[in-house]
Amino acid sequence: MDVERALAPFEESSQPHKDFGLIPVPKRLRCSATHPFYFGLWTRIVFASGCAFIVANLYYCQPLLIQMASDFDATFEEASLIPTLYQAGYFIGLFFISPLGDLIRRRQLILALVLITTCLSVGLVLSTSLLVFQTFAFLIGVFSVTPQILIPFAADLALPGQRGAAVSVLQTGLMLGILLARVVAGVVANFFHWRMVYYVSIGVQVIVLCGAYLFTPDYSRKNPDLTYLTIFYTMVKYAVTEPRLVQAVLINVASIACWSSFWLTLTFLLADPPYNYSTLYIGLFGLIGVIGVLGGPIFGHFVSRYGPWLSLFVATCCLLVFQTIETAAAGIHIAVVVVFCVGLNTLRQSQTVFLQTIVFGISEDARSRLNAIFTLSLSTGQAIGTSAGSQIFLTYGWRAASALSIGFYVWQLFVLLFRGPNCKPHIWFGYEGGFTYQVKQKQDGTATPPTQTSSVLDVAHSDLAGENARM
């Protein structure tokens, strides 16, 4: 049968039944040709929770720096290196560890990474000097790339027509972890010693480890013939020869630059006249941003209906309109700032989902490597947004910094319109294939966006779904 041939690499008989050769894999999580893993809503929520709790490791420290400096008898400048070390470690982990999802069994990789970060977090609690704490912080950053394994894994598990919605749920979890980590750490440290934050972090990661064991399916290696060195060669090759990836990276860099510039300069805007808000009120705007993030999954369904290209075009146009209004009226009334906070986070979240859908459609066998390249572009965009935004704000004011973001959004539209939605994979510019945006429907009713290539496993899942519906 075609379905059995498609799923042949994932036969239960070819899979070892123990994690690391020691711990039995739950039977329902062992892949088989007749019962492929169902990636339902609750599993998506579990994956999203894992993304949130693991990425939070990188941001707990930010409201604790003053207390850390006092406890370690160090200067604030020395303590302020901690967030930098977290991010430096994370950057290294993205490049050297996250592409391993295309090389080794992802269930074991996820379990190993969560176990390592949990053990390293114990080192944070026990650290008696700033240097030791900084060393553990760097190492935790290196191994906190579990979300970047889970997101491409979710793209593999979801049916083609549900891929955008599935990825949007995990992206929401990732953003909630980033936004809420600072709030939780600040609240806990306000009532307890700052080390209590990391005791809580250890407990949460133990829960994530248990959840990963109970809910992560066990698939065989995606690329048995791939080597570690070949991973980096293919990453460089994709980065310079794949038009869809280059287009997505250029848009992503400009998009995150706008986001980073706004949240950095927002502090200055609200602290100065006419608002003159205190640090507490300024901090509450982070919670307003959470509202916008929660709306992200709604836009994930746009991919299923209209395809990622048109969805991305609409989201970017809306961001341009929001940014123009913010530039004109943010200094007049606080309501404009609040609405823009919600709109920016919601639409930026949707942009990420649409771009990742395009990137994941390039190659089913290279999704971890493609995601690593895409995620690395975030660091570049953040550096551009924070440096350029702060310099322009300090020199010319917030309106000029906001106008810079308008320019970035115009650039994103230019890059997007440079290449139409239906061009063949290796066409760099033009509108070959027309401007049709309607998503094609397969015989079993699942939807496939025109710019998204379905994998063999996706087709097998869909065929099984169609056969089950007919039985």
Side-chain angles (χ1 to χ4, degrees), residues 13-73:
S13 59
S14 66
Q15 287 287 96
H17 294 338
K18 293 185 178 180
D19 290 323
F20 314 109
L22 299 172
I23 307 170
V25 177
K27 188 173 182 180
R28 63 184 179 83
L29 299 176
R30 300 171 190 170
C31 303
S32 67
T34 54
H35 296 89
F37 184 78
Y38 174 67
F39 191 55
L41 177 61
W42 287 110
T43 309
R44 296 177 194 179
I45 292 174
V46 171
F47 274 38
S49 300
C51 290
F53 293 134
I54 297 301
V55 79
N57 287 332
L58 308 177
Y59 298 93
Y60 287 132
C61 66
Q62 294 187 3
L64 311 177
L65 296 178
I66 295 177
Q67 293 170 280
M68 289 179 177
S70 175
D71 205 32
F72 289 126
D73 194 23

Side-chain angles (χ1 to χ4, degrees), residues 47-56 59 90 144 147-148 151 168-180 293 349 352 356 375 378:
F47 274 38
S49 300
C51 290
F53 293 134
I54 297 301
V55 79
Y59 298 93
Y90 187 63
S144 292
Q148 304 309 329
I151 291 173
S168 69
V169 173
L170 271 68
Q171 279 292 342
T172 297
L174 186 71
M175 288 300 298
L176 286 177
I178 294 172
L179 293 172
L180 293 179
V293 171
Q349 180 83 346
T352 302
Q356 282 187 316
T375 307
L378 292 174

